[in-house]
Amino acid sequence: MTIIASLIAVAACVTALAWALRRGGQRKQRAFTGVLDAADAFEDRLRTARAELEAITGNEDNPVREAMQEMLRQRLWLQQHGATASAARLDEVRAAIDEARARIEQQLDRIERARAHTP
């Protein structure tokens, strides 16, 4: 009877370990997907903003250029390190993307307000 109890205990431990590993993998996968989704959304917004600003100013020298370069650096980092990065690190990268998006939105809002007040 002790052999059966031991086998049940081992099976329970293996099942718990497999579940924990799977859950950890799912967390990392969700974090990685979240980073990619945020990067895609931000890049789309930057492309639209760049086109709008170029139409207004007639040149490519605008705040979007730096943000586009930063986005390219983030994508390169993801390509090189995303598969081995921890979920926490991926969350940090996503937060940085979200902060950059908020900054560019503020700049675009200021430009829009200035444009609206120009006769």
Side-chain angles (χ1 to χ4, degrees), residues 88-106:
R89 180 65 180 124
L90 291 169
D91 288 342
E92 290 171 8
V93 170
R94 175 158 185 193
I97 291 169
D98 291 341
E99 288 170 12
R101 186 175 185 175
R103 282 192 308 272
I104 202 72
E105 289 295 338
Q106 288 174 348

Side-chain angles (χ1 to χ4, degrees), residues 34-101:
V35 170
L36 291 177
D37 289 345
D40 289 344
F42 186 40
E43 190 171 345
D44 288 344
R45 179 63 179 121
L46 287 173
R47 288 181 198 282
T48 302
R50 181 177 60 191
E52 291 171 1
L53 288 172
E54 286 174 6
I56 294 168
T57 64
N59 64 42
E60 294 182 19
D61 188 26
N62 60 55
V64 175
R65 182 182 180 131
E66 184 177 322
M68 288 289 281
Q69 290 172 342
E70 179 60 29
M71 181 52 53
L72 290 174
R73 283 190 288 275
Q74 294 288 2
R75 287 207 184 267
L76 180 60
W77 183 88
L78 282 171
Q79 183 181 29
Q80 293 174 345
H81 305 287
T84 58
S86 69
R89 180 65 180 124
L90 291 169
D91 288 342
E92 290 171 8
V93 170
R94 175 158 185 193
I97 291 169
D98 291 341
E99 288 170 12
R101 186 175 185 175

